[in-house]
Amino acid sequence: MEIGQDALQTLSAVLREGTFEAAATVLHITPSAVSQRIKALEHSVGRVLVRRTKPVRATRDGEVLVRLAEQWELLVTEAGQELAGSADGPPGTDRPLVHLPIAANADSLATWLLPALADFHRNHAAAVEVRRDDESRNSEYLRTGEVLGAITSIPDRIRGCRVQPLGSMRYLPVATPDFLATWMPDGPTDAALARAPMMLFDRSDQLQRDVLRILTDTPGDPPGVYIPGSVEYHRAIELGMGWGAAPTVQIAGALADGRLVRFTDRHVDVPLYWQYWTVSSPLLTALTDYIADAAATHLDPVGHLSPQARAPR
């Protein structure tokens, strides 16, 4: 079996761009040349590597080689920095930046993760790309080789990856005093929760429905207000559009000055894990350290999880 760098780069480009034509544009070759490279690679490994759909999708065998392609690109770029004598120290205009794609959930990105990434950028010649999605899709990004690390809510190790516990993010059901006076004058009764507008991140937001289920034995189907952005979701609660469960780290100030009120002692704790490629990369190791240090500062220990732990937004 022979696997060349050009073939791996072509496979990666096809899956990243979605079509042979778009990959050809990026690689500055013809679509026919792209097709020939993919066919030659499939013949060499004796496996079908891509599904010829729109967009093109990797088969399970293709995912293995995509991860190899991305790891190869990362290591080659880092080696180039080291040979140029610029592997250590802060970035500068004369230093090539290494592309580091990762995946994260929206609430982590809106609270504790972004400052950690900014600190990493200030001290390393790297350009981080963040894919924002829920934990199930984040895991899929890792499996397909589209990212080199992901924040997930499941500890199950993905093939070729390490798992590092980060801590847990606590979600508290909150609302404004005016909202509670209007919709829950007698507290969060079953009847009140069935009719009070409930904030949801999007149509796949199971965390909010999990919170509703721990608040009432008859959750019903309350009116849903959908705000698909972590910061905007929090702001919508503050504006009285509905009640919702928000991370403690995000609403501490609003709770302290009374803009939001916690109307129950129930909560949901969500475990978070950093899964990343098993590859000898100084930059990936450094990024892991920055993420772990930030998580240790802002998240609760994983051992403090409640039995209602669910996937993060």
Side-chain angles (χ1 to χ4, degrees):
M1 180 175 65
E2 183 176 344
I3 302 176
Q5 182 180 357
D6 287 346
L8 288 177
Q9 290 177 334
T10 303
L11 176 64
S12 181
V14 166
L15 295 171
R16 184 174 58 249
E17 302 300 324
T19 66
F20 283 29
E21 291 76 13
T25 300
V26 170
L27 297 172
H28 305 292
I29 58 178
T30 66
S32 176
V34 170
S35 180
Q36 290 173 9
R37 287 184 182 181
I38 296 300
K39 288 179 179 178
L41 182 59
E42 289 178 325
H43 178 75
S44 176
V45 300
R47 298 285 191 279
V48 175
L49 301 177
V50 299
R51 299 184 182 93
R52 271 73 169 175
T53 56
K54 286 192 176 181
V56 175
R57 299 292 186 189
T59 63
R60 285 192 174 274
D61 294 316
E63 291 172 0
V64 174
L65 292 188
V66 171
R67 287 196 297 271
L68 175 60
E70 296 297 331
Q71 291 171 8
W72 174 262
E73 182 176 345
L74 171 64
L75 295 176
V76 166
T77 306
E78 285 189 318
Q81 284 190 343
E82 189 171 351
L83 289 171
S86 61
D88 299 318
T93 57
D94 59 338
R95 302 181 64 195
L97 298 182
V98 179
H99 176 232
L100 298 179
I102 67 172
N105 60 302
D107 287 339
S108 290
L109 187 61
T111 53
W112 62 272
L113 179 60
L114 193 57
L117 297 180
D119 287 343
F120 174 74
H121 265 232
R122 278 190 287 271
N123 295 296
H124 297 84
V128 174
E129 174 188 355
V130 180
R131 302 281 187 96
R132 190 187 68 178
D133 218 318
D134 63 33
E135 58 84 24
S136 61
R137 182 55 187 162
N138 288 350
S139 298
E140 186 64 19
Y141 285 143
L142 272 174
R143 290 190 182 94
T144 59
E146 295 175 73
V147 301
L148 54 81
I151 294 176
T152 74
S153 65
I154 52 176
D156 299 341
R157 180 175 297 177
I158 295 171
R159 184 173 59 176
C161 293
R162 295 189 178 98
V163 181
Q164 180 164 334
L166 295 176
S168 64
M169 182 173 283
R170 175 159 293 183
Y171 287 79
L172 306 178
V174 295
T176 65
D178 288 345
F179 180 90
L180 294 175
T182 300
W183 293 97
M184 302 183 194
D186 300 318
T189 63
D190 290 352
L193 290 169
R195 60 185 175 83
M198 180 177 69
M199 300 296 307
L200 295 112
F201 189 81
D202 55 26
R203 294 282 176 178
S204 62
D205 186 359
Q206 292 303 311
L207 184 145
Q208 188 65 36
R209 300 191 187 281
D210 290 340
V211 172
L212 182 62
R213 279 191 286 270
I214 70 172
L215 294 179
T216 174
D217 294 329
T218 56
D221 189 22
V225 180
Y226 296 88
I227 305 294
S230 183
V231 174
E232 294 81 2
Y233 178 94
H234 171 211
R235 186 161 178 252
I237 298 176
E238 283 197 31
L239 292 172
M241 295 176 64
W243 72 269
T248 305
V249 293
Q250 191 175 36
I251 60 174
L255 288 173
D257 62 22
R259 283 175 288 141
L260 292 178
V261 176
R262 184 180 179 183
F263 58 86
T264 174
D265 61 357
R266 306 300 297 273
H267 61 267
V268 169
D269 287 334
V270 174
L272 296 178
Y273 303 88
W274 171 244
Q275 295 210 42
Y276 58 102
W277 285 350
T278 305
V279 60
S280 181
S281 163
L283 278 176
L284 182 54
T285 299
L287 178 60
T288 296
D289 290 341
Y290 276 82
I291 290 175
D293 289 346
T297 300
H298 297 285
L299 302 181
D300 295 325
V302 173
H304 290 182
L305 297 180
S306 74
Q308 297 89 17
R310 290 293 184 269
R313 285 191 290 264

